[in-house]
Amino acid sequence: MSAVLRFLTAGESHGKALVVIVEGLPAGLPVTVGEVQGELARRRLGFGRGPRMRFEADEVTLVAGIRHGRTLGSPVAIEIANTEWPKWEEEMSPHPGAPSKLLTKPRPGHADLAGMQKYGFDDARDVLERASARETAARVAAGCLAKALLTRLGTAVVSHVVALGPERVESGARPLAADLSRVDASDVRCFDADAEGRMVGAIKAAAKDGDSLGGVVEVLAYGAPVGLGSHVHWDRRLDGLLAQALMSIQAVKYVEIGEGADTAGRRGSDAHDAISWDTEAHTYERATTRAGGIEGGMSTGGLIVARVAMKPLATLNRPVLGTVDVVTKEATVSFKERTDVTAVPAMGVVAETMAAIVLASEALRKFGGDSLAEVVRNYDAYRASLGDRSPSSAAAAGGG
Ligand SMILES: Cc1cc2nc3c(=O)[nH]c(=O)nc-3n(C[C@H](O)[C@H](O)[C@H](O)COP(=O)(O)O)c2cc1C
């Protein structure tokens, strides 16, 4: 089943530019360059990131599909130029020629070796340039458009770091949509001040040892209406769509919906969300979020919760992981591309993006129209048909 909101990215990490084309947006959606730049700046956040984040600016051009600050309903194309291009122009030239040196010591934990074997390359750079998570900048630009649409439908997507290395948030505190700037102001995009301090300490300790750390991010979607996704076919299930989208983020190793893995060890009486009726709001309520706001592959109208875990970055500042030189077949240590200690805070912004794209796509499937006004009309009519008298919960959470 193809997505209603589709996007394609192109571009290499040190190439001239990243490009994203987003197709399926209605006409009339307000979008500015500043908003896209703002989202891209959020992707660069986080203590433990290397100098690349400081000296590589994201130069955004809205190339197509937007006129006078509004989408036209045609494909939107966005370019994110690489300000470092002059340094890389020769090495990454699209014209016939050869690289100045071949990278022949593939890095464990990266796409390098399998990619070289699969595509028949003798230079790991031919793989790593595209495998690099720099590509996520293009996704975030697309996600900015998806978020703009969701905002019009009362849905806000927020993320925060709940574990980094050995440190985790014990309080269970969850940011509302209105708390997002507070999360972004945290050194590690953590909503819990106590955990934040411990996480920064863990990053400093790992940095001292030339090591890296992974962690877990929680993605929350406030205000998503009941009925996104469907039970009728395997590839229409919202949980499946979210899991695939989140798992596609570089270095993500598991995705959990609601209390996921934990519930597997519990009794059924302790693993589900009882339903009640709110007489004032005229809505069904669930006091708990064990199912993460998704039942039978459909959003329930409650808070959507997904947890996304990232492995520690595979490139270490103290190269200790063994590899083999593909030319000599001799044991060696891998070459080192510039690397961070951790990118979990940034991964959270990418996870928000991927969740927003899935939710926006499913919202367009349900409320689809050619103009934003038509989509909003369909959405309002649906809510009215449900008899829902509550303000949209994203608005209640401070987001919509
Ligand atoms: C936002 C973000 C930043 C990343 N930065 C780095 C990095 O600096 N160094 C590194 O070794 N891996 C980094 N990664 C992870 C690699 O891209 C990833 O480990 C690699 O693609 C292989 O992972 P996979 O086997 O899950 O695809 C980053 C990932 C994300 C999402």
Side-chain angles (χ1 to χ4, degrees):
M1 184 197 65
S2 63
V4 177
L5 186 64
R6 302 180 292 161
F7 76 101
L8 271 180
T9 71
E12 280 69 46
S13 179
H14 298 101
K16 190 171 183 191
L18 293 169
V19 179
V20 62
I21 297 185
V22 185
E23 201 277 326
L25 286 168
L29 182 68
V31 182
T32 64
V33 132
E35 282 164 355
V36 178
Q37 270 161 343
E39 278 297 291
L40 289 172
R42 294 185 62 231
R43 195 195 69 98
R44 304 159 74 81
L45 291 172
F47 187 79
R49 307 214 65 197
R52 183 167 186 186
M53 290 303 120
R54 286 194 294 277
F55 57 66
E56 264 183 8
D58 293 311
E59 261 181 26
V60 177
T61 309
L62 304 180
V63 178
I66 299 172
R67 184 162 182 249
H68 301 309
R70 285 177 190 276
T71 54
L72 295 171
S74 50
V76 171
I78 301 176
E79 183 195 83
I80 306 162
N82 174 12
T83 52
E84 294 281 290
W85 176 240
K87 272 199 224 159
W88 285 91
E89 196 165 356
E90 238 169 82
E91 203 58 31
M92 293 299 294
S93 170
H95 305 299
S100 62
K101 69 168 185 201
L102 301 180
L103 302 179
T104 59
K105 299 169 185 168
R107 301 161 307 162
H110 282 281
D112 300 3
L113 183 55
M116 290 170 89
Q117 291 177 290
K118 179 175 166 66
Y119 288 89
F121 293 138
D122 54 6
D123 181 1
R125 184 165 299 287
D126 287 332
V127 179
L128 73 89
E129 282 288 335
R130 181 61 186 164
S132 156
R134 169 82 187 138
E135 181 263 348
T136 59
R139 301 195 200 194
V140 168
C144 181
L145 305 177
K147 284 181 180 177
L149 177 74
L150 289 175
T151 302
R152 298 302 188 288
L153 303 180
T155 300
V157 185
V158 182
S159 71
H160 63 129
V161 173
V162 293
L164 209 151
E167 304 296 345
R168 51 203 64 242
V169 173
E170 308 289 355
S171 65
R174 281 185 171 146
L176 299 175
D179 296 317
L180 194 57
S181 50
R182 214 180 106 194
V183 172
D184 285 349
S186 153
D187 275 342
V188 282
R189 300 198 63 255
C190 178
F191 190 54
D192 180 295
D194 169 58
E196 177 188 10
R198 288 185 277 113
M199 288 174 184
V200 169
I203 295 171
K204 284 183 178 162
K208 211 165 137 218
D209 296 341
D211 222 320
S212 65
L213 294 175
V216 183
V217 153
E218 188 170 71
V219 181
L220 305 165
Y222 289 97
V226 60
L228 301 184
S230 177
H231 64 288
V232 300
H233 201 241
W234 70 268
D235 61 354
R236 293 191 53 189
R237 294 179 59 100
L238 185 64
D239 41 4
L241 295 170
L242 280 172
Q244 200 278 326
L246 294 168
M247 191 65 119
S248 77
I249 301 169
Q250 293 85 339
V252 165
K253 292 300 143 200
Y254 83 70
V255 176
E256 184 180 51
I257 305 291
E259 294 180 11
D262 236 28
T263 56
R266 294 187 208 154
R267 289 193 166 189
S269 54
D270 200 25
H272 302 283
D273 303 313
I275 302 170
S276 59
W277 177 249
D278 183 327
T279 44
E280 244 169 63
H282 255 235
T283 54
Y284 298 99
E285 297 292 341
R286 292 162 179 80
T288 49
T289 55
R290 291 162 177 159
I294 302 175
E295 286 178 336
M298 288 170 282
S299 57
T300 61
L303 176 65
I304 294 180
V305 184
R307 287 187 165 214
V308 186
M310 183 182 199
K311 70 182 182 182
L313 302 180
T315 307
L316 307 179
N317 280 311
R318 179 174 55 99
V320 288
L321 293 170
T323 187
V324 171
D325 188 307
V326 296
V327 177
T328 64
K329 307 289 188 258
E330 276 170 14
T332 179
V333 287
S334 60
F335 68 91
K336 187 171 97 58
E337 280 284 291
R338 228 168 8 216
T339 193
D340 302 333
V341 177
T342 188
V344 176
M347 185 275 284
V349 176
V350 182
E352 270 176 35
T353 280
M354 295 310 292
I357 289 170
V358 169
L359 294 174
S361 186
E362 288 308 297
L364 285 170
R365 190 184 304 283
K366 180 123 186 73
F367 310 118
D370 295 309
S371 67
L372 178 63
E374 193 177 1
V375 174
V376 170
R377 212 159 52 227
N378 293 342
Y379 167 77
D380 286 343
Y382 174 67
R383 284 196 69 201
S385 76
L386 294 172
D388 186 347
R389 294 179 195 159
S390 63
S392 103
S393 51

